[in-house]
Amino acid sequence: MHPSSCVVLKCQVKLPPTCNCAKPPSTIPFPRSLSLGCSLTTTSQFLPKAMEAPANITIKGILSLLMQSIDDDDDMKKKSVISLGMGDPSAYSCFQAPPVASHAVAEALHSHRFNGYSPTVGLPQTRRAIAEYLSGDLPYDLSSDDVFVTSGCTQAIDVALAMLARPGSNILLPRPGFPIYELCAAFRGLEVRHFDLLPQNGWKVDLAGVEALADQNTVAMVVINPGNPCGNVYSYQHLKEIAETAERLKILVIADEVYGHLAFGRNPFVPMGVFGSTVPVLTLGSLSKRWIVPGWRLGWFVTCDPSGSFRKPKMVERIKKYFDILGGPSTFIQAAVPRILEETEENFFKKTIKVLKQTSDICFDRVKEITCITCPYKPEGSMAVMMKLNLSILEDISDDIDFCFKLAKEESVIILPGTAVGLKNWLRITFAVDPESLEEGLARLKSFCKRHTKQQLGS
């Protein structure tokens, strides 16, 4: 089976080979209809439809398959693996968390005051610190009651969609985008409608497309800024236009700002919450990217809504009750947040931006030398960029997934196929990598493309 056909897999549960019984062991709750002897096998066909896993592609899932496809049979020819697919910069020495972060965590842990449960919505001092941090960029002040602490931004996404889902509702998602939204929507029964981001126009939102998609059952639209996977940073004016469009449509905006402040181009980062007086905004964020601690799983779900739509008692109670069933971040990690937010030096942020600017420039410049790949827009933020794949000049490459699996096998370089983020025959390249590894990975990518270019073009 070709690797590209293995993105969605179904598991089988089999009886242990030593079992010779006519019925399954009582400890394994197989349906009675399956009592057929020792060759018993169950598949998802016996699960109720609601229990079957959604068929959505996930980034971690496809990257795992790409890693498995790397040819490691010949150790003499084996190359070191270079991953340009996962947005986790913490693996590289040029991207390290600020010292105050580890000191704050150690202090909280060694105090022995944070070994118990925290309130389900988060420690009061953590909520207050996040509110003060975010308020610094807003024309109004958030209160601690507006902040709910989550286990990373992924949990914040799940909370947002869970709060909005209702029978027959739909949500507007960007294409390309972050596939966790589709996965969460599938579990919540939310219909997904995609609006386009326009590569020829700096990956701006196609606002006319948004208006055409929305109806009376649309609950929200998602805006990811700085952009993942595109590397764009929206201007104040474009965000204002998005807010005004959402207000006309009477939908709220989910602002995914996990890459907040990681901007190094023409546009400074402007939080969507600036327009909270125009349209209600749910801001999602985390420590993961800006502080380079993705494994700490410390995120937030914040209502930016000066008009008070989210402060209605029934809404507040609904959110709080949902958090009662969630497992938030470790209490001692939460306890470290106030000090981390208050004491991280500006030089740390400047260094991170400087390295990201350097590696994004390397990525953009080196790809210019590869004839089958084009970058329509130079990245100005976040940690990734989208590249267009020109299959017409390649031989024996059928699509972006085929390209990425063959690249992994031949060059031990991992790149995410655009299909995973909603754009077939594109590539997402992560540049949050040390410059030396990035140069080597892109050199291997160039060699691979040259080797697979049609002869009359490559000669």
Side-chain angles (χ1 to χ4, degrees):
M1 182 181 292
H2 191 278
S4 64
S5 64
C6 300
V7 174
V8 179
L9 303 176
K10 290 185 177 180
C11 327
Q12 291 186 333
V13 179
K14 298 183 179 180
L15 287 175
T18 55
C19 178
N20 295 314
C21 51
K23 293 183 179 181
S26 59
T27 55
I28 305 178
F30 286 96
R32 176 179 293 180
S33 61
L34 296 184
S35 299
L36 302 175
C38 61
S39 61
L40 287 174
T41 300
T42 70
T43 69
S44 61
Q45 64 181 311
F46 299 107
L47 293 174
K49 187 173 182 181
M51 292 176 64
E52 294 183 7
N56 305 70
I57 294 174
T58 67
I59 290 175
K60 288 183 179 178
I62 200 164
L63 290 178
S64 176
L65 291 173
L66 286 166
M67 286 294 295
Q68 293 172 32
S69 74
I70 291 176
D71 190 356
D72 57 0
D73 293 337
D74 190 345
D75 287 338
M76 296 298 292
K77 296 181 179 179
K78 188 176 179 181
K79 298 177 180 178
S80 61
V81 177
I82 297 176
S83 178
L84 306 180
M86 179 65 80
D88 183 356
S90 65
Y92 302 96
S93 60
C94 60
F95 293 103
Q96 292 295 305
V100 68
S102 56
H103 294 163
V105 169
E107 179 183 52
L109 185 60
H110 292 150
S111 74
H112 302 293
R113 294 189 294 117
F114 302 104
N115 294 330
Y117 294 117
S118 72
T120 55
V121 294
L123 289 174
Q125 62 267 41
T126 306
R127 300 173 74 193
R128 184 168 55 251
I130 293 170
E132 291 173 357
Y133 165 69
L134 296 176
S135 294
D137 295 316
L138 299 176
Y140 52 89
D141 289 332
L142 297 169
S143 76
S144 57
D145 290 338
D146 298 315
V147 177
F148 302 84
V149 184
T150 61
S151 183
C153 194
T154 298
Q155 190 178 72
I157 293 171
D158 180 61
V159 171
L161 270 59
M163 292 299 96
L164 297 172
R166 63 173 188 263
S169 57
N170 65 76
I171 188 168
L172 309 184
L173 301 181
R175 181 174 51 213
F178 185 51
I180 288 295
Y181 284 95
E182 280 87 352
L183 187 59
C184 286
F187 275 109
R188 300 299 175 190
L190 265 172
E191 177 194 348
V192 168
R193 298 179 181 180
H194 289 102
F195 59 86
D196 290 325
L197 304 184
L198 307 173
Q200 72 278 14
N201 198 15
W203 297 105
K204 286 183 178 180
V205 173
D206 177 5
L207 293 175
V210 168
E211 299 214 40
L213 289 169
D215 61 20
Q216 69 275 12
N217 293 317
T218 303
V219 293
M221 66 180 292
V222 171
V223 176
I224 304 175
N225 181 52
N228 176 26
C230 303
N232 56 292
V233 178
Y234 290 139
S235 67
Y236 178 98
Q237 181 59 34
H238 188 55
L239 292 171
K240 183 173 183 286
E241 291 167 354
I242 291 172
E244 290 170 348
T245 301
E247 193 279 329
R248 280 197 303 276
L249 297 172
K250 305 305 176 188
I251 61 176
L252 60 83
V253 175
I254 298 173
D256 186 326
E257 296 175 356
V258 72
Y259 289 96
H261 292 280
L262 295 181
F264 41 81
R266 296 169 299 174
N267 297 324
F269 168 67
V270 177
M272 193 74 211
V274 165
F275 305 99
S277 296
T278 302
V279 63
V281 175
L282 292 177
T283 295
L284 316 180
S286 77
L287 293 182
S288 299
K289 308 300 184 180
R290 196 181 187 201
W291 277 268
I292 315 180
V293 287
W296 290 11
R297 313 308 300 141
L298 193 293
W300 48 79
F301 167 98
V302 180
T303 58
C304 296
D305 176 34
S307 64
S309 300
F310 290 109
R311 292 177 185 165
K312 294 176 181 177
K314 287 186 177 181
M315 175 59 75
V316 172
E317 187 66 15
R318 176 174 167 81
I319 295 174
K320 286 182 176 179
K321 283 189 174 180
Y322 189 71
F323 271 87
D324 283 344
I325 65 173
L326 299 179
S330 299
T331 308
F332 67 90
I333 297 288
Q334 292 189 51
V337 169
R339 186 178 170 194
I340 292 171
L341 294 181
E342 292 166 12
E343 297 183 21
T344 301
E345 296 181 358
E346 192 62 30
N347 282 341
F348 166 77
F349 298 129
K350 289 180 179 178
K351 179 184 175 184
T352 301
I353 292 296
K354 182 179 179 181
V355 178
L356 286 174
K357 177 69 168 64
Q358 177 190 2
T359 54
S360 68
D361 286 344
I362 290 172
C363 191
F364 185 74
D365 292 341
R366 297 298 176 268
V367 166
K368 288 179 183 177
E369 303 168 3
I370 304 175
T371 54
C372 66
I373 302 175
T374 55
C375 182
Y377 190 78
K378 186 174 183 178
E380 296 186 332
S382 78
M383 297 179 176
V385 62
M386 291 296 289
M387 307 279 190
K388 175 69 173 173
L389 189 59
N390 184 356
L391 293 173
S392 67
I393 64 175
L394 296 175
E395 57 186 0
D396 68 13
I397 302 288
S398 60
D399 58 23
D400 58 318
I401 294 178
D402 188 32
F403 180 97
C404 290
F405 273 95
K406 287 177 177 173
L407 174 66
K409 184 174 181 63
E410 296 177 26
E411 295 289 350
S412 298
V413 173
I414 305 296
I415 287 176
L416 188 71
T419 295
V421 294
L423 277 191
K424 185 176 177 63
N425 297 331
W426 286 68
L427 307 169
R428 189 195 79 166
I429 298 179
T430 299
F431 51 80
V433 181
D434 73 77
E436 183 179 352
S437 297
L438 183 60
E439 292 271 19
E440 172 64 20
L442 294 173
R444 293 188 204 173
L445 174 63
K446 181 180 179 180
S447 297
F448 173 84
C449 290
K450 187 174 182 181
R451 195 162 58 247
H452 287 271
T453 297
K454 292 177 180 177
Q455 273 194 327
Q456 63 270 29
L457 294 170
S459 58

